[in-house]
Amino acid sequence: MLARLNAEACMQRPTIFLLHSLGASHREWGAVQRVLGDQFECVALDIPGFGGTQAGNATDIDALVNWFQQEVTTRAPTCWFVVGHSMGGKIVTLLAARSRDGVHGLAGLAGVVLVAASPPCPEPMQEARRATMLDWFAAGRPVRAQAEAFIDANSHRPLQGAAREAAIVDVLGTDPIAWRAWLTQGSREHR
């Protein structure tokens, strides 16, 4: 009976949660939301410390997954999907595991999409690159040239125009605490 109710809910208008990559924000998903139209209730979230938010206490992977779990359970969707890009992918993967394990409030997860996701194990990254990225935020926020370098190094093909500018602005608006915590801790954690 419960499976039938979930299937009926998924045939109507399921919820889709969208989690962005390091240095990005909910704005990363604008084009995806336009393509999906009214097929889903799209919930593009700003991970704590990104999109103009403060990191607060969400500086390790458990805290980030707990934050996301609260976002889902507050909305109480009967049928939902999750999409995670890079850093958001690690958070999504770990929340999906909680749903699989029957954690209260996470029933109804119907699918997971990972886009170049950070793995649940330590993310492979050259230490020189990690050190450079940490240096950008050592004294606060990065300068524009550093944000541009990050965007250019992390795009499959060069972003242009408004999309590139929005991505740069997102990096510049990142809470330095969240940036450093991800690179020194979250990306290295094994779950």
Side-chain angles (χ1 to χ4, degrees):
M1 176 77 162
L2 183 59
R4 195 170 109 217
L5 291 173
N6 282 340
E8 289 173 9
C10 277
M11 294 183 76
Q12 295 180 9
R13 189 169 182 241
T15 301
I16 187 166
F17 293 93
L18 305 158
L19 266 63
H20 58 79
S21 61
L22 176 68
S25 76
H26 72 278
R27 291 181 290 275
E28 175 181 321
W29 301 106
V32 171
Q33 289 176 284
R34 285 189 294 280
V35 168
L36 292 176
D38 290 334
Q39 297 174 61
F40 293 89
E41 177 186 341
C42 292
V43 180
L45 298 167
D46 287 319
I47 296 169
F50 302 90
T53 67
Q54 297 300 307
N57 292 326
T59 56
D60 64 31
I61 198 66
D62 285 333
L64 291 169
V65 177
N66 290 340
W67 160 80
F68 186 37
Q69 181 175 330
Q70 182 65 40
E71 292 289 334
V72 172
T73 58
T74 296
R75 288 171 176 81
T78 54
C79 176
W80 53 288
F81 296 82
V82 290
V83 179
H85 178 202
S86 191
M87 175 180 73
K90 185 169 188 170
I91 298 166
V92 161
T93 298
L94 297 172
L95 188 73
R98 289 182 184 182
S99 175
R100 174 205 64 210
D101 294 343
V103 171
H104 179 72
L106 297 178
L109 177 59
V112 176
V113 176
L114 301 174
V115 181
S118 295
C121 58
E123 184 170 350
M125 181 185 296
Q126 293 178 344
E127 287 307 311
R129 180 171 184 231
R130 185 184 307 273
T132 297
M133 291 169 55
L134 283 166
D135 188 54
W136 294 341
F137 282 81
R141 298 186 195 278
V143 298
R144 183 174 177 90
Q146 293 164 331
E148 290 173 347
F150 177 74
I151 294 304
D152 294 343
N154 288 286
S155 300
H156 173 66
R157 58 181 167 211
L159 294 178
Q160 302 294 322
R164 185 170 191 272
E165 185 60 26
I168 292 165
V169 167
D170 278 345
V171 173
L172 293 172
T174 296
D175 182 340
I177 292 169
W179 182 274
R180 290 189 302 260
W182 179 256
L183 289 169
T184 61
Q185 189 173 353
S187 67
R188 290 179 162 162
E189 289 184 54
H190 183 83
R191 295 287 178 231

